[in-house]
Amino acid sequence: MLSMKVQDSPSNGPISPKEERVVATVGFGGAGLAGGLTINVTNDFAKAITGALLAMESDQVPDTADVNDVMGELANVIGGNCLAAFSDQGYTCTLSLPCVTRGIALHTETVRGAKRECVAFQHGQDRFYIGLDLKVA
């Protein structure tokens, strides 16, 4: 499947405002808890992830639809793992359909007033971020 080694990034610095980004998001909600998970990567790294999953070179990935599908599914899988952890803590939530946004200098907010935790990861020279927004009611 997707065998890409990642590690914590030594820097949790700002995202370059000049790079095209792909942000995949899933929301979740239930009694007492709401939030969302975001994966924020460069367009080139999103193509590399898609190529790895589809057993293709990233320059052979045909179009943005495949990249969007893969990034949405990746957010869905990680979001589902979060829901399992929430369930262990007594929160029952449902997961939304994934949404993929593309652009430059993007700022996303899944739930107004939620506390955001964002962690930077590294794969080779590619730095990417996974963010989790949580709001406990």
Side-chain angles (χ1 to χ4, degrees):
M1 189 108 134
L2 185 60
S3 297
M4 300 177 88
K5 292 186 184 243
V6 299
Q7 59 191 29
D8 291 343
S9 177
S11 170
N12 204 11
I15 296 170
S16 169
K18 296 178 181 170
E19 289 181 305
E20 182 181 356
R21 307 294 295 186
V22 177
V23 179
T25 305
V26 289
F28 51 83
L33 186 66
L37 176 120
T38 58
I39 303 172
N40 187 323
V41 302
T42 64
N43 186 55
D44 288 342
F45 189 48
K47 288 180 84 171
I49 292 169
T50 302
L53 190 65
L54 300 178
M56 310 168 84
E57 293 298 320
S58 60
D59 60 350
Q60 294 176 326
V61 173
D63 59 23
T64 57
D66 289 333
V67 175
N68 289 351
D69 288 346
V70 166
M71 293 306 300
E73 186 56 28
L74 186 58
N76 204 28
V77 168
I78 296 171
N81 287 331
C82 289
L83 290 191
F86 299 151
S87 178
D88 291 345
Q89 298 299 313
Y91 294 101
T92 302
C93 298
T94 57
L95 200 61
S96 73
L97 293 173
C99 173
V100 178
T101 306
R102 297 168 162 274
I104 297 172
L106 296 172
H107 172 78
T108 60
E109 183 178 44
T110 58
V111 175
R112 187 173 303 257
K115 180 178 180 351
R116 173 170 279 188
E117 292 294 331
C118 187
V119 179
F121 294 95
Q122 192 94 20
H123 172 73
Q125 296 300 311
D126 295 301
R127 186 171 55 167
F128 65 99
Y129 302 87
I130 297 180
L132 184 64
D133 296 342
L134 287 176
K135 185 173 183 178
V136 179

